Amino acid sequence: MIPTLAVLFVVVMTVALGTAGTRYARTTSNFFVASRAVNPLWNAFAVCGEAMSAASYLGVPALILVFGVDMLWTLIGWTIGFLLLSLFIAAPVRRFGSYTIPEFIEGRLDGPELRPLVAAAVIVSSWFFLLAQLKGAGVVTRELIGVPYWVGVVAVGVLVAANLSAGGMRGITLVQGFQFFFIFLGILVPFMVLGSQWLSGDVPSLITPDPPSFLSSTEVDYPNIVEVEVFESTSVIIRGEVDGQLIDGALELVSGSHVIEAGTEIVWPAGAAVPFEQGLDRLTGTQWAAPLGEKSLGGGHPLYFSYAFLLANMFGIIALPHIVVRFYTNPTGRAARRTNLWVLAMIAPYYAMLPLLGGAGRLFAPEVLGTGNTDSATVVLGQRIADGLSGELVSAVVSAGAAAAFLSTASGLLIAMAGALSHDVLGAGVPQFRLAVWVASGVSIAAGIIVESVDINVLIGWSTAIAASSIGPLLVLSIWWTGFTRRGAIATVLIGGLTTTAAVLTTLAGLVDSGWPLAILATPAAWSVPLAFAIGITVSILDPNKVSDLGHKFALMHLPERVAVAAPES
Amino acid sequence: MGSEPKRRVILHPKTALARRHDRARAFGGHVRGYTVDTDDVLGLVRSQRRLSVRLLLLVLIPVAMLPLLFRFVPSSRTVRVVGSLPLPWLVLGPVVLFAIVLIAAIHERRASAIEDRWADRRSSQ
């Protein structure tokens, strides 16, 4: 009851603050960039609200729970990605002074044909990212109030679109800032509870030579049909359908493969070995806690996987349109850089807390390994780490944080998509922006319902890979290299975007399933980012048509604002 | 009354700064009140780029060594350090994450200093 109320509170706050922004939301500048007057610290809260998404809140603890320490490369990659934003992107992009990434690229390279192309890359990558947030919404609402998955997807899609079309960027900046506090609290509270339990020695060791088992008798809901491997014959109580038989009562589940139908409930006894979904590595505690070793990561090449993941996540962050677009709301380039430093200072401790949740999930919520629904780990864990009223409260804080995580990120993504769609395709203006918001949201809701069985971080991986190998090189080369040309940019977006999309579709179609081909296709950014850079540089060098007026354009991107204050206004 | 009082637009200083900035593009050869000298601007770009690349390498080189360390020194995968925490969890977690924040803080100071020195030289000419 209390967790549901907490989620409702976050939703009501979101609507109230979003509509409070309507008062100001009149002009185009207000709608797209909040009149470029957002305070650096508050903007950092908003960026954190966006960056702390369902991918980190739900996805990372789940990944760590399943695969162990190697998944920390995700967090390092993202953090270095934010460092790259400070080093190479934030200030120059803001100083150039456009409304969207496609507009910036067009202005910098004098290529009107680049604008729809870059807009397409922005829309596709944001779309995959948005699907991941909607999936988070579906999972969390199902876990909390037991409604079907699609209810959460539709509710969040409509809510966020309504909020955005009312208040635009100005309204959403306020909303995301508040949501950040809920997200941070949602991780901090369980971290502190678990940390104190761990320090007082109440928690059994995780690093044991055995695979995971149930600590206590556990009732598990299976929301989807799933094929599991049971490793030892176990006496369970079943209500539902297993292996095509309707069962209501006790049963000896023999070791081997079983198909559990959607809607089944099974009570597993304490001490029983946790069944695994088919295809997941059954790691012992020792294997789980040590990097590399015998794992199926990266098609059985965990060393390659470490580097590929680092690279993909690093470049993924700098190219996320919803993050980059937030720097446009800062008054100056220097303020944009300061915002990003604040972001790093808040996001590093947040990331540093997530591994403990993943480890605790393996102890207290190991059943997610066998439900085909690892993304619910954070929320289930929130319900398990304490008893009685304090348990309800912890669960409430965790659920509210999860709701804030996908709501704020979904808002940011919808802004980036609607911005690209309206400003760069339909023509800038508030009515076009509103139309674009509803179109983008509608399409995403429909697709969000379809991706129920796809892991959140698989969706995020595709999104970041596409963005990393198209928009990433484009931004870096535009800002720092005078030799970059229009044709070089077109080649970069096309080759980078298309090769990654092809890799994603091949993996999705299940055409490869092991070894090096899987390693190369499942983490495409490791080769597609360097490839996109190489193509962009080669084509630019060969291109006889250089960009004109370079001094002026580089001055716009790199000159500090102080020159304007020191020199007389002309 | 001879002349009517002149109309003035009053803006919050931050909004004024932002607007002035957006309008910068309208002045032909000027950016933010500065007459563009291409070589001069590219000099600024070069020093910022050098700073950024150096700081990035300072992070990337040690981080890129870690998988190799785990690969070729197997004991590093399981050795326990403070509070019985295995080394990889400590290094791949808090140690690297907070080191990155430190590097970003250094960059924010150095990059601003480069800009200030550049602007000072322009306004003293």
Side-chain angles (χ1 to χ4, degrees):
Chain A
M1 196 57 215
I2 302 180
T4 314
L5 288 177
V7 169
L8 274 179
F9 176 69
V10 170
V11 170
V12 171
M13 281 279 281
T14 302
V15 175
L17 289 171
T19 40
T22 342
R23 200 155 62 87
Y24 308 101
R26 299 215 179 87
T27 62
T28 309
S29 168
N30 238 316
F31 250 76
F32 284 91
V33 294
S35 300
R36 305 202 193 277
V38 180
N39 167 291
L41 182 58
W42 192 267
N43 199 24
F45 291 150
V47 176
C48 284
E50 286 191 347
M52 298 171 179
S53 69
S56 56
Y57 199 98
L58 304 173
V60 167
L63 284 177
I64 293 173
L65 189 162
V66 176
F67 297 105
V69 69
D70 300 85
M71 282 299 157
L72 297 186
W73 287 109
T74 315
L75 300 175
I76 293 184
W78 284 342
T79 315
I80 297 184
F82 278 100
L83 177 66
L84 290 180
L85 281 177
S86 262
L87 297 180
F88 297 107
I89 311 283
V93 150
R94 164 59 193 97
R95 283 178 175 146
F96 200 79
S98 42
Y99 284 156
T100 61
I101 295 178
E103 191 192 357
F104 164 71
I105 297 293
E106 183 195 12
R108 161 66 180 84
L109 296 167
D110 298 328
E113 69 278 39
L114 269 167
R115 196 154 163 179
L117 209 56
V118 179
V122 165
I123 291 168
V124 171
S125 62
S126 303
W127 189 65
F128 276 122
F129 216 98
L130 183 56
L131 294 189
Q133 309 307 315
L134 292 178
K135 168 155 191 220
V139 169
V140 170
T141 40
R142 181 181 62 203
E143 225 40 70
L144 279 183
I145 32 184
V147 291
Y149 167 82
W150 63 267
V151 176
V153 175
V154 174
V156 167
V158 171
L159 184 76
V160 169
N163 230 14
L164 259 185
S165 68
M169 185 64 116
R170 182 81 166 245
I172 224 66
T173 301
L174 199 63
V175 174
Q176 287 175 329
F178 276 102
Q179 282 164 340
F180 157 73
F181 291 102
F182 285 105
I183 303 170
F184 200 86
L185 209 60
I187 294 297
L188 181 67
V189 168
F191 177 83
M192 287 174 59
V193 174
L194 288 165
S196 66
Q197 288 175 356
W198 185 56
L199 288 178
S200 63
D202 294 344
V203 184
S205 173
L206 195 56
I207 309 173
T208 61
D210 307 309
S213 56
F214 289 103
L215 278 183
S216 57
S217 167
T218 309
E219 187 185 320
V220 181
D221 292 325
Y222 291 85
N224 306 105
I225 181 167
V226 64
E227 191 179 353
V228 300
E229 186 74 24
V230 173
F231 300 95
E232 56 188 35
S233 295
T234 314
S235 302
V236 295
I237 301 167
I238 300 178
R239 198 176 312 116
E241 192 178 338
V242 175
D243 297 330
Q245 275 183 297
L246 276 172
I247 303 160
D248 189 2
L251 184 85
E252 179 84 5
L253 212 51
V254 295
S255 62
S257 175
H258 297 278
V259 177
I260 302 173
E261 288 294 328
T264 304
E265 280 173 32
I266 300 181
V267 181
W268 296 89
V274 175
F276 274 58
E277 188 189 354
Q278 285 293 350
L280 281 188
D281 282 354
R282 189 185 188 221
L283 303 173
T284 67
T286 326
Q287 288 171 322
W288 175 86
L292 307 176
E294 299 294 312
K295 290 175 187 167
S296 66
L297 286 175
H301 301 279
L303 185 67
Y304 167 81
F305 174 87
S306 306
Y307 287 111
F309 231 49
L310 177 66
L311 210 61
N313 289 310
M314 227 170 88
F315 278 96
I317 290 287
I318 64 166
L320 290 179
H322 63 291
I323 304 277
V324 174
V325 86
R326 284 231 58 98
F327 295 120
Y328 291 136
T329 66
N330 279 110
T332 64
R334 197 171 285 195
R337 210 157 49 209
R338 191 153 302 148
T339 288
N340 197 57
L341 180 58
W342 278 113
V343 170
L344 265 164
M346 294 186 283
I347 214 158
Y350 168 80
Y351 285 164
M353 289 189 283
L354 295 177
L356 184 68
L357 269 68
R362 205 171 164 86
L363 276 180
F364 298 116
E367 74 265 25
V368 299
L369 290 162
T371 58
N373 186 27
T374 48
D375 288 330
S376 64
T378 306
V379 179
V380 176
L381 176 68
Q383 297 162 346
R384 300 264 169 85
I385 51 181
D387 301 319
L389 181 64
S390 54
E392 283 272 293
L393 289 176
V394 173
S395 175
V397 171
V398 172
S399 312
F406 55 68
L407 278 173
S408 63
T409 310
S411 314
L413 288 161
L414 213 47
I415 283 225
M417 286 169 76
L421 198 59
S422 64
H423 190 57
D424 303 311
V425 183
L426 300 174
V430 174
Q432 288 89 335
F433 183 85
R434 292 200 165 115
L435 174 69
V437 164
W438 285 104
V439 170
S441 167
V443 176
S444 309
I445 289 173
I449 295 172
I450 300 170
V451 297
E452 183 176 359
S453 62
V454 185
D455 277 351
I456 286 179
N457 279 283
V458 172
L459 293 168
I460 296 291
W462 296 341
S463 165
T464 46
I466 294 172
S469 43
S470 55
I471 305 168
L474 212 53
L475 284 176
V476 173
L477 292 175
S478 301
I479 294 171
W480 297 99
W481 187 39
T482 49
F484 199 37
T485 70
R486 199 168 51 85
R487 287 181 187 159
I490 294 172
T492 305
V493 182
L494 284 181
I495 303 280
L498 292 180
T499 49
T500 3
T501 311
V504 164
L505 293 178
T506 318
T507 324
L508 190 60
L511 295 180
V512 290
D513 51 8
S514 65
W516 276 113
L518 179 66
I520 287 166
L521 288 178
T523 45
W527 48 266
S528 64
V529 171
L531 176 73
F533 268 103
I535 296 275
I537 292 170
T538 317
V539 173
S540 295
I541 290 174
L542 296 176
D543 186 359
N545 303 321
K546 302 297 178 196
V547 177
S548 63
D549 215 4
L550 279 172
H552 187 216
K553 283 167 181 149
F554 273 74
L556 270 179
M557 292 189 288
H558 294 277
L559 251 52
E561 285 76 12
R562 241 195 68 204
V563 193
V565 182
E569 283 272 328
S570 50
Chain B
M1 288 306 192
S3 60
E4 268 185 42
K6 225 178 146 190
R7 239 173 203 278
R8 289 184 64 206
V9 179
I10 297 174
L11 292 171
H12 186 279
K14 275 184 191 158
T15 315
L17 193 59
R19 286 224 184 145
R20 186 154 59 228
H21 179 189
D22 272 345
R23 231 189 297 144
R25 240 187 294 195
F27 309 128
H30 302 271
V31 172
R32 282 157 226 160
Y34 157 83
T35 315
V36 172
D37 168 354
T38 303
D39 290 337
D40 192 26
V41 171
L42 293 184
L44 173 69
V45 175
R46 256 194 304 278
S47 37
Q48 293 285 23
R49 192 170 51 204
R50 200 178 313 123
L51 172 70
S52 292
V53 169
R54 279 183 187 170
L55 289 175
L56 179 63
L57 290 179
L58 199 61
V59 171
L60 271 192
I61 292 174
V63 166
M65 292 299 175
L66 289 172
L68 295 177
L69 172 78
F70 297 140
R71 172 73 181 76
F72 294 106
V73 187
S75 63
S76 68
R77 298 180 203 170
T78 48
V79 65
R80 307 284 184 109
V81 278
V82 259
S84 83
L85 204 63
L87 178 79
W89 291 85
L90 191 70
V91 175
L92 298 181
V95 171
V96 169
L97 298 186
F98 290 114
I100 295 171
V101 181
L102 188 69
I103 298 287
I106 293 172
H107 174 258
E108 136 78 23
R109 293 186 56 163
R110 294 261 177 99
S112 296
I114 290 176
E115 285 169 357
D116 285 342
R117 268 203 307 277
W118 191 88
D120 284 345
R121 252 190 314 150
R122 295 304 152 302
S123 49
S124 65
Q125 273 168 9

